Amino acid sequence: MSHQTGIQASGSVKDTFVGARNGQYRLLKIVIDNEQLVVGSSRRPVGSWEKDYDSFVLPLLEDKQPCYILYRLDSQNAQGYEWIFIAWSPDHSPVRQKMLYAATRATLKKEFGGGHIKDEVFGTVQDDVSLNGYKKYLISQSSPAPLTAAEEELRQIKINEVQTDVGVDTKHQTLQGVAFPIAQEAIQALEKLKNKKLNYVQLQIDMKNEIIILANTLHTELKDLPKRIPKDAARYHFFLYKHAHEGDYLESIVFIYSMPGYTCSIRERMLYSSCKSPLLEIVERQLWMQIIRKIEIDNGDELTADFLYEEVHPKQHAHKQSFAKPKGPAGKRGIRRLIRGPAETETPSD
């Protein structure tokens, strides 16, 4: 279950998009403000698209602030004018902003109309998204030459977007992982859990310092586990699950990602969702911790004994249902064929 930003286009933006698709604008700069997509700037055509490009696009790019640029070409397809979609994410912009804009790309494309977008360009420096950079991008798209770093990042973003509609019920990952550092105290607690000196470790993200820190190592029995799940904040939990299965006593480490939905801020949801995979990779590949099951929940009340057991040991349907010969059609079935054995004798007819 991946948690999306929930950011949508404002009503004025949707109205502007209608005029843009009809050719009124050469350029639209779209930004996220108060958890909405809004128009930050717009320009009407002056010359050809090539003449307008650098003088329109480059002055709108800020050194520490991501944005989207929609730039209209002079060519048209069956749906109307064709556009370039520019995702600007400078290296020195805050990680939270990068993640927020990366996660909202699919929403903007859907609102504008993906059929109007001819090319997508991703840039971290102005050279990536200048007219010259765009032409280099076109060459790279038509040749098997190795991708530049910026183009490779764009390719990965496209893969993670999985071309879905963004909404509260979608279950597709749209963010690239961001590997925040893990505090030494948290690493030590995980090591103790692996060695069974602890049976529960809870981690949280320090939003201000952008680091994963230790939140809790209280001894936790299975009946106490629901109480460890905050109702107003996201957390990562590692639990040593002691139980019996098919006559064997087992001690298995279970990872639980708790996210209480929209009681958390958008940034918190995006940070926890994006940091989860890199965290697990470090725990499994560098700390060599074997995690038997990864679970995502909204509420601690879900963590009953039966629920956890069935998550760790899903029911196996080993025996297939035997094939039942279908019954014949109801009603009159026609004349029956009589097949006599060799020992049978015929009865002479009168």
Side-chain angles (χ1 to χ4, degrees):
M1 169 187 355
S2 68
H3 298 271
Q4 309 299 331
T5 66
I7 291 174
Q8 299 294 328
S10 64
S12 60
V13 166
K14 293 179 180 179
D15 293 339
T16 302
F17 283 171
V18 173
R21 290 191 292 266
N22 292 331
Q24 294 180 19
Y25 298 97
R26 173 69 75 192
L27 174 148
L28 295 176
K29 177 181 179 180
I30 307 297
V31 297
I32 298 174
D33 184 36
N34 291 327
E35 300 188 357
Q36 277 193 322
L37 291 167
V38 300
V39 178
S41 183
S42 64
R43 296 292 301 271
R44 296 181 182 272
V46 175
S48 68
W49 77 268
E50 289 185 273
K51 289 181 179 179
D52 289 345
Y53 191 98
D54 280 343
S55 61
F56 280 21
V57 173
L58 300 185
L60 298 178
L61 304 178
E62 300 178 47
D63 291 339
K64 296 183 179 180
Q65 179 60 48
C67 69
Y68 309 111
I69 301 286
L70 289 163
Y71 188 85
R72 180 173 68 77
L73 300 171
D74 294 329
S75 56
Q76 298 187 38
N77 61 22
Q79 297 193 35
Y81 282 102
E82 294 181 313
W83 291 72
I84 305 170
F85 180 86
I86 300 172
W88 171 247
S89 184
D91 289 330
H92 299 296
S93 56
V95 172
R96 293 187 187 93
Q97 289 293 308
K98 290 182 180 180
M99 292 167 54
L100 193 60
Y101 275 80
T104 312
R105 287 168 56 90
T107 300
L108 176 57
K109 288 160 58 181
K110 176 188 173 185
E111 294 284 3
F112 185 73
H116 294 272
I117 297 173
K118 180 182 179 183
D119 294 305
E120 294 183 53
V121 181
F122 177 81
T124 58
V125 297
Q126 287 197 2
D127 286 346
D128 294 335
V129 298
S130 66
L131 179 60
N132 190 43
Y134 173 58
K135 290 182 176 180
K136 288 181 179 178
Y137 163 82
L138 294 178
I139 294 173
S140 71
Q141 292 296 103
S142 61
S143 68
L147 298 176
T148 66
E151 288 158 358
E152 175 64 20
E153 189 167 354
L154 174 60
R155 187 182 71 85
Q156 291 296 330
I157 288 174
K158 285 182 177 179
I159 292 172
N160 286 326
E161 280 180 351
V162 293
Q163 300 176 356
T164 64
D165 290 344
V166 177
V168 295
D169 294 323
T170 52
K171 296 185 178 181
H172 302 274
Q173 188 72 18
T174 62
L175 270 183
Q176 289 179 296
V178 175
F180 280 0
I182 305 174
Q184 188 61 34
E185 185 182 20
I187 294 289
Q188 292 171 353
L190 291 170
E191 289 278 7
K192 289 181 180 179
L193 177 71
K194 184 182 73 171
N195 295 325
K196 301 180 181 178
K197 295 179 181 178
L198 293 173
N199 80 330
Y200 175 75
V201 172
Q202 182 184 123
L203 303 181
Q204 70 179 92
I205 296 177
D206 182 338
M207 311 282 283
K208 181 178 179 181
N209 298 310
E210 299 181 347
I211 184 172
I212 298 174
I213 62 174
L214 182 65
N216 194 333
T217 58
L218 288 175
H219 181 79
T220 301
E221 298 295 337
L222 181 56
K223 63 181 177 62
D224 300 321
L225 192 56
K227 303 175 186 176
R228 303 285 185 256
I229 311 299
K231 296 185 181 297
D232 58 353
R235 290 290 186 271
Y236 304 125
H237 313 261
F238 296 82
F239 178 60
L240 185 61
Y241 178 40
K242 301 178 181 180
H243 62 289
H245 176 63
E246 296 182 350
D248 295 325
Y249 175 76
L250 303 174
E251 295 184 348
S252 309
I253 296 176
V254 177
F255 171 78
I256 303 167
Y257 167 41
S258 65
M259 169 60 69
Y262 287 84
T263 59
C264 299
S265 68
I266 286 176
R267 287 191 176 91
E268 183 176 358
R269 296 199 301 270
M270 298 314 304
L271 280 171
Y272 275 86
S273 178
S274 184
C275 289
K276 174 171 61 70
S277 293
L279 169 64
L280 288 171
E281 184 173 359
I282 291 172
V283 169
E284 292 180 302
R285 297 190 180 185
Q286 296 185 26
L287 300 184
W288 297 101
M289 180 186 294
Q290 183 179 6
I291 298 174
I292 196 68
R293 188 70 174 168
K294 303 176 180 72
I295 303 171
E296 298 185 15
I297 63 170
D298 298 314
N299 193 307
D301 295 339
E302 298 175 45
L303 292 175
T304 64
D306 290 342
F307 171 84
L308 201 57
Y309 183 87
E310 290 175 6
E311 284 290 319
V312 174
H313 303 289
K315 293 180 180 179
Q316 301 294 327
H317 301 284
H319 302 288
K320 294 184 179 179
Q321 184 178 1
S322 59
F323 176 75
K325 182 179 179 180
K327 295 181 179 180
K332 189 175 180 180
R333 300 181 60 181
I335 301 173
R336 297 182 65 184
R337 293 184 62 191
L338 299 179
I339 303 177
R340 297 183 174 85
E344 296 181 22
T345 59
E346 294 188 4
T347 301
S349 59
D350 294 333

